[in-house]
Amino acid sequence: MEEGKKLITIIGIALGVFLGMKYLLPYVIPFFIAYVLVHVLNPVTEKIRKRLPWKKEVIVSVLMVLFLGVFILLFYCLSCMLTEQIRKVALNFDYYYDCFCGIIDRCCYLAEQSFGISTDDVKDFVYSSLDHATEQIRIYIIPGVVNYSVRYLKKLAEAGIFLLMLFVSVVLLIRDYDKMAASLEKYKSYQFIHRITQRMWKQGGMYLKAQMILILITIILCAAGLWIFGNPYFLLLGIVIGLLDALPFIGTGTVLVPMAAFLVFRGNYKLAAGYAGLFLLTYVVREYLEPRLIGAKLGVYPFVMVVVVYAGLYLYGPAGVFLGPVTLLMVMEITREIYNKNEEE
C-alpha cells in the first residue's frame, strides 16, 4: 500500500514537472536566466565592491555590457563565416550531386562485377529518389529559406527584446537580492524550494556545464581537424558534428565515417585516413571525458541517461538534450525532499 502511494506521488510529481517545463518555462525563461546570472554574479560583485566603491547594479551593468559585447561580436563573426560556407554549399550543390551519383554508379558497378547481379533497377530507384528529394528542396526548402529571411528582422527584434528584458531583470534583481533572500527565509515554502534548487544547482549545473564542455571540445576538435585537412566548410561541419555528438546513438561517426568512405571511393586514401583518425580521436575523447563529467556527477547510470535524453528529445524537441536530464533531476530532488520531510516528521 505504501509503495503504491509512493509510486502515485512520483508519477504526479513527474507530470507536474513536465507540464511546468513544457508550458510554463518558455514564458519565464528570461527571468529564470536572470536569477541564475544573479546567483552566479552576486559573489563576484561583492569581491569587486571591496576594491571599487560602486553600487552592485552598476558593477553588474558593466559586467553585462562587456559580456554581451563580446558575445555579440563573436556571434557576428561566426555568423558571417557560417553564412559564407552555407552559400558555398548552395553554389556547389550540382557538383556534390554529380559526385554522389558517381559513387552510386561505382558501387553498382562493383556489385555487378562481384556478384553478377544486374543493378539497373537499383540505380533507377536511387536516381528517382534523388530526383524526388531535389524537387522537394526546390519546392519547399528554398521558399522556406526565403520566407525565413523575410522574417529575419522580426526574429532579430525578438532577440533584442529578450536581451533587454534579461539585462533589466538582472540589474533590478541584484540590487535587492540579499534583502529578498533574507525576507523569504521565514517562509517554509521558500525553504522547501531553496533546498531543492540548491541541490539541483550543485548537480544539474555540473551536468549542463559538463555537457557544454563536451560539445565545445568536439566542435573545436572537428573544426580544427577539418581546417587542417583543407575542408572549406570546417566551421559549419564542426558545429553540426558537435551538436550531433550530443544526441544519443548519434556521434561524430554519423558525418565523419561517410566522408571517409566517400574519399576512399574517390581514391584519396590519405585524406580518408585523416577523417577516420579524426573520428577515432573525438570518440576516444568523449568516451574518456563523458563518464567523468556527466555520469558521476548526477549519480545516474549511463543507460538511464541515454533513455532520459531520448525521452527529452521526444517531449521537448532539440532542447530535450538538456531539459530531459534536468526534468529527471527535478523529479528526483522533489521526491527526495518530500520523503525526507515525512521521515523527519
Side-chain angles (χ1 to χ4, degrees), residues 26 29 37 60 66 75 88 114 134 163 181 219 245 325 340:
I29 190 67
L37 288 175
V60 168
L66 292 175
F75 180 79
K88 288 181 180 179
S114 302
T134 304
L163 292 176
I219 290 175
D245 193 44
N340 284 346

Side-chain angles (χ1 to χ4, degrees), residues 17 21 25 29 32 200 203-216 219 242-248 286 294 298 305 308-314 316-330:
V17 171
M21 297 286 284
L25 184 62
I29 190 67
F32 175 75
M200 286 189 61
Q203 298 184 49
M206 291 179 179
Y207 169 78
L208 293 176
K209 179 181 177 181
Q211 192 67 264
M212 294 301 297
I213 289 173
L214 288 172
I215 293 175
L216 183 61
I219 290 175
L243 296 177
L244 289 176
D245 193 44
L247 303 178
R286 174 167 276 273
I294 296 179
L298 285 179
M305 184 60 62
V308 169
V309 173
Y310 178 79
L313 287 170
Y314 182 79
Y316 302 115
V321 174
F322 301 102
L323 294 182
V326 170
T327 300
L328 172 66
L329 183 60
M330 188 177 294

